[in-house]
Protein backbone atom coordinates (compact mmCIF):
# COMPACT_ATOMS: atom_id res chain seq x y z
CA UNK A 1 0.00 0.00 0.00
CA UNK A 2 1.48 3.34 -1.03
CA UNK A 3 1.74 5.80 1.87
CA UNK A 4 0.22 9.17 0.92
CA UNK A 5 2.45 12.19 1.40
CA UNK A 6 1.60 15.67 2.59
CA UNK A 7 3.80 18.67 1.84
CA UNK A 8 5.76 20.32 4.67
CA UNK A 9 3.56 23.43 4.90
CA UNK A 10 0.46 21.24 5.39
CA UNK A 11 2.32 19.09 7.91
CA UNK A 12 3.12 22.23 9.87
CA UNK A 13 -0.60 23.20 9.91
CA UNK A 14 -1.45 19.68 11.11
CA UNK A 15 1.03 19.87 14.00
CA UNK A 16 -0.36 23.26 15.07
CA UNK A 17 -3.87 21.81 15.03
CA UNK A 18 -2.85 18.78 17.09
CA UNK A 19 -1.34 21.05 19.75
CA UNK A 20 -4.39 23.32 19.69
CA UNK A 21 -7.00 20.54 20.04
CA UNK A 22 -5.00 18.90 22.83
CA UNK A 23 -4.74 22.24 24.63
CA UNK A 24 -8.49 22.92 24.39
CA UNK A 25 -9.61 19.44 25.41
CA UNK A 26 -10.36 20.59 28.98
CA UNK A 27 -12.76 23.24 27.64
CA UNK A 28 -14.46 20.68 25.42
CA UNK A 29 -14.90 18.38 28.40
CA UNK A 30 -16.41 21.20 30.47
CA UNK A 31 -18.85 22.26 27.73
CA UNK A 32 -19.42 18.80 26.23
CA UNK A 33 -23.12 18.64 27.07
CA UNK A 34 -23.88 22.08 25.57
CA UNK A 35 -22.03 21.42 22.33
CA UNK A 36 -23.13 17.80 21.90
CA UNK A 37 -26.75 18.94 22.23
CA UNK A 38 -26.00 21.67 19.66
CA UNK A 39 -24.42 19.27 17.16
CA UNK A 40 -26.82 16.35 17.65
CA UNK A 41 -29.07 17.08 14.60
CA UNK A 42 -26.03 16.90 12.29
CA UNK A 43 -24.90 13.64 13.91
CA UNK A 44 -28.42 12.23 13.66
CA UNK A 45 -28.50 12.99 9.92
CA UNK A 46 -25.11 11.31 9.44
CA UNK A 47 -26.38 8.22 11.29
CA UNK A 48 -29.63 8.20 9.28
CA UNK A 49 -27.67 8.21 6.02
CA UNK A 50 -25.10 5.62 7.11
CA UNK A 51 -27.83 3.39 8.58
CA UNK A 52 -25.41 1.21 10.60
CA UNK A 53 -26.72 -2.25 11.49
CA UNK A 54 -25.75 -5.78 12.53
CA UNK A 55 -22.02 -6.41 12.63
CA UNK A 56 -20.98 -3.28 10.72
CA UNK A 57 -17.54 -1.87 11.41
CA UNK A 58 -17.67 1.93 11.40
CA UNK A 59 -14.86 4.48 11.35
CA UNK A 60 -15.53 7.85 13.01
CA UNK A 61 -12.92 10.38 11.82
CA UNK A 62 -12.11 13.53 13.83
CA UNK A 63 -14.19 11.91 16.56
CA UNK A 64 -13.22 14.41 19.28
CA UNK A 65 -15.05 13.64 22.51
CA UNK A 66 -16.91 10.75 20.88
CA UNK A 67 -19.88 11.78 18.78
CA UNK A 68 -21.48 10.58 16.61
CA UNK A 69 -19.33 7.44 17.03
CA UNK A 70 -20.64 6.55 20.51
CA UNK A 71 -24.27 6.85 19.43
CA UNK A 72 -23.47 4.60 16.45
CA UNK A 73 -21.79 2.07 18.79
CA UNK A 74 -24.88 1.97 21.02
CA UNK A 75 -26.98 1.23 17.96
CA UNK A 76 -24.85 -1.73 16.76
CA UNK A 77 -23.92 -3.80 19.85
CA UNK A 78 -22.80 -6.66 17.55
CA UNK A 79 -20.73 -4.25 15.45
CA UNK A 80 -17.68 -2.14 16.19
CA UNK A 81 -16.72 1.55 16.04
CA UNK A 82 -13.18 2.88 15.68
CA UNK A 83 -12.91 6.49 16.86
CA UNK A 84 -9.95 8.42 15.46
CA UNK A 85 -8.63 11.91 16.11
CA UNK A 86 -5.38 13.82 15.81
CA UNK A 87 -5.56 14.84 19.49
CA UNK A 88 -4.92 12.17 22.13
CA UNK A 89 -6.46 14.33 24.87
CA UNK A 90 -9.77 14.54 23.03
CA UNK A 91 -9.88 10.76 22.52
CA UNK A 92 -9.17 10.27 26.22
CA UNK A 93 -12.45 12.09 26.94
CA UNK A 94 -14.18 9.95 24.27
CA UNK A 95 -12.89 6.82 26.04
CA UNK A 96 -14.27 8.08 29.37
CA UNK A 97 -17.62 8.85 27.73
CA UNK A 98 -17.75 5.35 26.22
CA UNK A 99 -16.97 3.78 29.59
CA UNK A 100 -19.62 5.84 31.34
CA UNK A 101 -22.19 4.64 28.80
CA UNK A 102 -21.10 1.02 29.17
CA UNK A 103 -20.02 0.71 25.53
CA UNK A 104 -17.55 -2.13 24.99
CA UNK A 105 -17.53 -2.12 21.18
CA UNK A 106 -15.54 1.12 20.79
CA UNK A 107 -11.81 1.57 20.31
CA UNK A 108 -9.89 4.82 19.98
CA UNK A 109 -6.91 5.46 17.73
CA UNK A 110 -4.79 8.61 17.53
CA UNK A 111 -3.97 9.17 13.86
CA UNK A 112 -4.00 11.60 10.95
CA UNK A 113 -6.87 11.31 8.47
CA UNK A 114 -4.42 11.90 5.64
CA UNK A 115 -2.55 8.69 6.53
CA UNK A 116 -5.12 6.32 8.05
CA UNK A 117 -3.43 3.27 9.62
CA UNK A 118 -6.00 0.82 8.25
CA UNK A 119 -5.99 -1.65 5.38
CA UNK A 120 -7.97 -1.03 2.19
CA UNK A 121 -11.67 -1.92 2.43
CA UNK A 122 -11.74 -2.24 6.24
CA UNK A 123 -14.99 -0.39 7.06
CA UNK A 124 -18.68 -0.61 6.19
CA UNK A 125 -19.19 3.10 6.89
CA UNK A 126 -17.22 6.26 7.66
CA UNK A 127 -18.58 9.24 9.60
CA UNK A 128 -16.88 12.61 9.99
CA UNK A 129 -18.73 15.38 11.82
CA UNK A 130 -17.08 18.81 11.44
CA UNK A 131 -13.61 17.65 10.54
CA UNK A 132 -13.17 18.45 6.86
CA UNK A 133 -12.96 22.26 7.28
CA UNK A 134 -9.79 21.78 9.33
CA UNK A 135 -8.01 19.05 7.34
CA UNK A 136 -4.88 20.56 5.77
CA UNK A 137 -5.35 18.43 2.61
CA UNK A 138 -9.04 17.73 2.07
CA UNK A 139 -8.55 15.81 -1.20
CA UNK A 140 -6.10 13.41 0.43
CA UNK A 141 -8.42 13.01 3.45
CA UNK A 142 -11.36 12.11 1.18
CA UNK A 143 -9.25 9.64 -0.80
CA UNK A 144 -8.06 7.98 2.42
CA UNK A 145 -11.63 7.64 3.71
CA UNK A 146 -12.70 6.16 0.37
CA UNK A 147 -9.72 3.79 0.38
CA UNK A 148 -10.64 2.19 3.73
CA UNK A 149 -14.32 1.81 2.76
CA UNK A 150 -15.55 -1.57 1.57
CA UNK A 151 -17.24 -1.72 -1.86
CA UNK A 152 -20.78 -0.49 -1.29
CA UNK A 153 -19.64 1.29 1.88
CA UNK A 154 -21.14 4.64 2.89
CA UNK A 155 -19.52 7.93 3.89
CA UNK A 156 -21.25 10.92 5.50
CA UNK A 157 -19.71 14.15 6.70
CA UNK A 158 -21.03 17.42 8.17
CA UNK A 159 -19.43 20.82 7.45
CA UNK A 160 -20.53 24.35 8.35
CA UNK A 161 -22.70 26.28 5.93
CA UNK A 162 -22.07 29.96 5.04
CA UNK A 163 -21.18 32.57 7.67
CA UNK A 164 -24.52 34.40 7.19
CA UNK A 165 -26.35 31.37 8.59
CA UNK A 166 -24.02 30.86 11.58
CA UNK A 167 -24.35 33.83 13.94
CA UNK A 168 -22.98 31.66 16.74
CA UNK A 169 -19.55 32.06 15.07
CA UNK A 170 -19.86 35.52 13.54
CA UNK A 171 -21.14 37.23 16.71
CA UNK A 172 -17.75 36.81 18.34
CA UNK A 173 -15.41 36.56 15.32
CA UNK A 174 -17.01 39.67 13.77
CA UNK A 175 -16.22 41.71 16.89
CA UNK A 176 -12.66 40.36 16.91
CA UNK A 177 -12.09 41.29 13.25
CA UNK A 178 -13.54 44.78 13.75
CA UNK A 179 -11.12 45.49 16.59
CA UNK A 180 -7.97 43.64 15.62
CA UNK A 181 -5.83 43.63 12.48
CA UNK A 182 -5.57 39.86 12.06
CA UNK A 183 -3.68 38.51 9.04
CA UNK A 184 -6.03 37.26 6.32
CA UNK A 185 -5.92 33.46 5.98
CA UNK A 186 -4.34 32.09 2.81
CA UNK A 187 -6.87 31.02 0.13
CA UNK A 188 -8.02 27.48 0.87
CA UNK A 189 -6.53 27.49 4.39
CA UNK A 190 -8.37 25.55 7.11
CA UNK A 191 -11.30 27.52 8.54
CA UNK A 192 -14.92 27.29 9.66
CA UNK A 193 -16.56 28.21 6.33
CA UNK A 194 -14.03 26.70 3.95
CA UNK A 195 -16.48 23.99 2.80
CA UNK A 196 -19.60 26.15 2.44
CA UNK A 197 -19.35 27.04 -1.25
CA UNK A 198 -21.93 25.39 -3.54
CA UNK A 199 -20.73 22.21 -5.20
CA UNK A 200 -17.79 21.68 -2.83
CA UNK A 201 -19.03 18.41 -1.31
CA UNK A 202 -20.19 16.87 -4.56
CA UNK A 203 -16.85 17.59 -6.26
CA UNK A 204 -14.75 16.36 -3.35
CA UNK A 205 -16.47 12.99 -2.93
CA UNK A 206 -16.73 12.42 -6.68
CA UNK A 207 -12.99 13.05 -7.06
CA UNK A 208 -12.41 10.47 -4.31
CA UNK A 209 -14.31 7.93 -6.43
CA UNK A 210 -17.63 7.91 -4.56
CA UNK A 211 -21.03 7.87 -6.25
CA UNK A 212 -24.68 8.70 -5.46
CA UNK A 213 -23.40 11.86 -3.76
CA UNK A 214 -26.01 14.09 -2.06
CA UNK A 215 -25.92 17.27 0.04
CA UNK A 216 -28.56 18.33 2.57
CA UNK A 217 -28.81 21.39 4.80
CA UNK A 218 -29.35 20.61 8.49
CA UNK A 219 -30.23 23.18 11.17
CA UNK A 220 -28.94 23.24 14.72
CA UNK A 221 -29.38 25.52 17.72
CA UNK A 222 -26.80 26.53 20.32
CA UNK A 223 -28.94 26.78 23.45
CA UNK A 224 -26.79 29.02 25.68
CA UNK A 225 -29.75 30.62 27.47
CA UNK A 226 -27.57 33.59 28.55
CA UNK A 227 -24.95 35.84 26.94
CA UNK A 228 -22.56 34.87 29.76
CA UNK A 229 -22.72 31.19 28.85
CA UNK A 230 -22.15 32.03 25.18
CA UNK A 231 -19.09 34.16 25.95
CA UNK A 232 -17.58 31.63 28.38
CA UNK A 233 -18.15 28.62 26.13
CA UNK A 234 -16.76 30.28 22.99
CA UNK A 235 -13.70 31.64 24.78
CA UNK A 236 -12.92 28.21 26.22
CA UNK A 237 -13.41 25.90 23.21
CA UNK A 238 -13.03 27.97 20.01
CA UNK A 239 -9.34 27.94 19.11
CA UNK A 240 -9.44 30.96 16.71
CA UNK A 241 -11.26 33.01 19.37
CA UNK A 242 -8.80 32.15 22.12
CA UNK A 243 -5.80 32.71 19.84
CA UNK A 244 -7.05 36.16 18.80
CA UNK A 245 -8.05 37.28 22.30
CA UNK A 246 -4.65 36.12 23.56
CA UNK A 247 -3.05 38.78 21.33
CA UNK A 248 -5.42 41.58 22.39
CA UNK A 249 -4.47 44.11 25.08
CA UNK A 250 -6.83 44.49 28.03
CA UNK A 251 -8.75 47.46 26.61
CA UNK A 252 -9.28 45.77 23.22
CA UNK A 253 -10.37 42.55 24.91
CA UNK A 254 -12.94 44.47 26.97
CA UNK A 255 -14.22 46.30 23.87
CA UNK A 256 -14.65 43.01 21.99
CA UNK A 257 -16.48 41.50 24.95
CA UNK A 258 -18.83 44.50 25.20
CA UNK A 259 -19.59 44.37 21.46
CA UNK A 260 -20.36 40.66 21.62
CA UNK A 261 -22.72 41.11 24.57
CA UNK A 262 -24.42 44.00 22.77
CA UNK A 263 -24.85 41.94 19.57
CA UNK A 264 -26.32 39.03 21.53
CA UNK A 265 -28.66 41.31 23.50
CA UNK A 266 -29.89 42.99 20.28
CA UNK A 267 -30.64 39.64 18.67
CA UNK A 268 -32.21 38.12 21.81
CA UNK A 269 -33.90 41.02 23.64
CA UNK A 270 -35.84 38.58 25.83
CA UNK A 271 -32.52 37.28 27.20
CA UNK A 272 -33.14 33.71 26.00
CA UNK A 273 -30.01 33.07 23.92
CA UNK A 274 -30.73 30.20 21.51
CA UNK A 275 -28.64 30.73 18.39
CA UNK A 276 -29.60 29.10 15.08
CA UNK A 277 -26.90 27.42 13.02
CA UNK A 278 -26.70 25.76 9.62
CA UNK A 279 -24.61 22.85 8.39
CA UNK A 280 -24.35 20.77 5.23
CA UNK A 281 -24.31 16.98 5.41
CA UNK A 282 -22.59 15.38 2.42
CA UNK A 283 -23.08 11.69 1.62
CA UNK A 284 -21.55 9.27 -0.89
CA UNK A 285 -21.19 5.54 -1.58
CA UNK A 286 -18.25 3.48 -2.82
Amino acid sequence: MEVPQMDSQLESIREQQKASWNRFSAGWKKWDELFMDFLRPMGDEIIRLLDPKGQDVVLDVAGGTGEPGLTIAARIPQGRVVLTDLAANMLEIAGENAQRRGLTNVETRVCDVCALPFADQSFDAVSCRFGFMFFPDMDLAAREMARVLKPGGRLATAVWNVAEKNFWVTAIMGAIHRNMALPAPAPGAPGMFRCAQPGWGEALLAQAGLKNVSVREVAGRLDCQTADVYWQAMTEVAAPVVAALGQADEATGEKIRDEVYRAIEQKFPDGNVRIDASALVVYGEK
Side-chain angles (χ1 to χ4, degrees):
M1 181 178 82
E2 188 184 339
V3 178
Q5 295 296 321
M6 199 191 305
D7 74 31
S8 58
Q9 188 184 1
L10 296 181
E11 281 182 7
S12 162
I13 292 171
R14 180 190 63 194
E15 291 311 306
Q16 288 165 16
Q17 287 180 343
K18 183 194 290 188
S20 176
W21 287 108
N22 276 320
R23 191 165 69 248
F24 291 111
S25 61
W28 278 98
K29 185 172 184 176
K30 175 180 173 181
W31 296 104
D32 201 47
E33 197 174 327
L34 175 72
F35 280 96
M36 291 310 103
D37 180 62
F38 172 37
L39 303 178
R40 188 168 291 115
M42 298 77 166
D44 287 349
E45 178 63 9
I46 286 173
I47 294 168
R48 186 188 74 78
L49 289 164
L50 296 181
D51 191 25
K53 53 171 82 76
Q55 298 182 338
D56 278 358
V57 183
V58 179
L59 175 65
D60 189 21
V61 175
T65 58
E67 288 300 339
L70 298 183
T71 298
I72 292 171
R75 181 167 160 162
I76 49 167
Q78 304 304 311
R80 191 162 58 88
V81 173
V82 181
L83 273 170
T84 67
D85 201 279
L86 200 53
N89 292 3
M90 296 289 273
L91 285 183
E92 204 173 302
I93 299 166
E96 291 168 10
N97 287 339
Q99 212 168 7
R100 194 168 60 247
R101 289 167 65 172
L103 297 169
T104 56
N105 58 337
V106 177
E107 65 178 272
T108 60
R109 187 85 175 261
V110 179
C111 64
D112 176 10
V113 64
C114 291
L116 291 172
F118 308 111
D120 297 356
Q121 303 182 13
S122 298
F123 296 95
D124 297 286
V126 175
S127 64
C128 178
R129 190 176 69 174
F130 300 117
F132 260 103
M133 304 91 54
F134 303 116
F135 297 152
D137 189 329
M138 295 191 294
D139 290 331
L140 185 51
R143 289 202 306 273
E144 275 292 273
M145 290 185 197
R147 176 184 67 77
V148 301
L149 264 182
K150 296 175 183 176
R154 307 163 305 284
L155 183 154
T157 183
V159 296
W160 291 114
N161 204 347
V162 291
E164 295 74 29
K165 293 188 173 188
N166 283 292
F167 182 70
W168 70 279
V169 180
T170 57
I172 195 161
M173 287 308 295
I176 287 169
H177 283 292
R178 281 193 301 275
N179 288 282
M180 297 181 71
L182 297 177
M192 290 291 288
F193 306 116
R194 180 191 188 197
C195 302
Q197 64 268 35
W200 167 85
E202 295 94 325
L204 185 83
L205 296 197
Q207 282 165 9
L210 300 183
K211 55 183 190 287
N212 298 330
V213 177
S214 65
V215 179
R216 178 163 180 257
E217 184 175 357
V218 177
R221 184 171 283 168
L222 183 59
D223 192 1
C224 298
Q225 298 179 358
T226 69
D228 281 335
V229 167
Y230 172 75
W231 175 261
Q232 288 168 19
M234 293 299 284
T235 55
E236 289 180 18
V237 305
V241 172
V242 181
L245 292 176
Q247 298 170 40
D249 59 42
E250 195 175 339
T252 305
E254 281 296 312
K255 188 165 182 289
I256 290 168
R257 187 177 184 278
D258 289 346
E259 284 186 21
V260 170
Y261 271 72
R262 206 156 49 241
I264 293 290
E265 283 156 9
Q266 279 174 357
K267 199 162 181 75
F268 304 99
D270 65 351
N272 185 15
V273 180
R274 303 175 76 222
I275 310 177
D276 288 332
S278 173
L280 301 171
V281 175
V282 188
Y283 170 80
E285 298 166 357
K286 188 164 178 181

